[in-house]
């Protein structure tokens, strides 16, 4: 599973706040490690659970534009492994 961490800057009443958002699936080992690291270093964050909350088209478009679809797509996950070879091969064509 890929872990995506976003840092947002919010200004309110002249004070600048940073807000960290962790995107992922809660039972993923990489997500667990990221969340543990943030907790140990006392970094406040919001967790966005893909399974419960999904991901917007705009967010996915932003990630694929800035990092490339190859980095966004998890080719090691169970869902990917369940696809047949033809479906896996068509992914590059669709992007």
């Amino acid at each position: 599973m890929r872990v995506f961490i976003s840092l947002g800057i919010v200004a309110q009443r002249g004070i600048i706040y940073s807000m960290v958002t962790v995107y992922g699936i809660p039972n993923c080992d990489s997500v667990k490690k990221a969340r543990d690291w943030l907790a140990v270093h006392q970094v406040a964050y919001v967790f966005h659970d893909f399974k419960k909350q999904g991901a917007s088209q705009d967010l996915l478009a932003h990630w694929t534009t800035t990092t490339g679809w190859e980095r966004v797509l998890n080719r090691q996950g169970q869902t990917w492994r369940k696809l047949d070879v033809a479906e896996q091969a068509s992914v590059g064509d669709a992007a």
Side-chain angles (χ1 to χ4, degrees), residues 2-74:
R2 302 270 190 249
V3 178
F4 297 96
I5 298 178
S6 171
L7 176 62
I9 305 296
V10 178
Q12 191 174 42
R13 295 185 185 154
I15 301 172
I16 297 175
Y17 299 92
S18 64
M19 181 173 64
V20 174
T21 303
V22 177
Y23 296 86
I25 298 171
N27 62 344
C28 169
D29 288 339
S30 297
V31 172
K32 288 177 186 177
K33 288 176 188 176
R35 294 175 80 179
D36 288 346
W37 187 94
L38 291 168
V40 166
H41 291 87
Q42 298 179 354
V43 176
Y45 68 93
V46 174
F47 180 67
H48 182 103
D49 185 341
F50 282 138
K51 287 198 176 200
K52 291 181 180 175
Q53 297 170 280
S56 71
Q57 289 282 101
D58 291 340
L59 185 59
L60 292 173
H62 172 71
W63 286 339
T64 56
T65 300
T66 57
T67 65
W69 68 267
E70 297 89 347
R71 293 202 51 145
V72 175
L73 179 65
N74 178 14

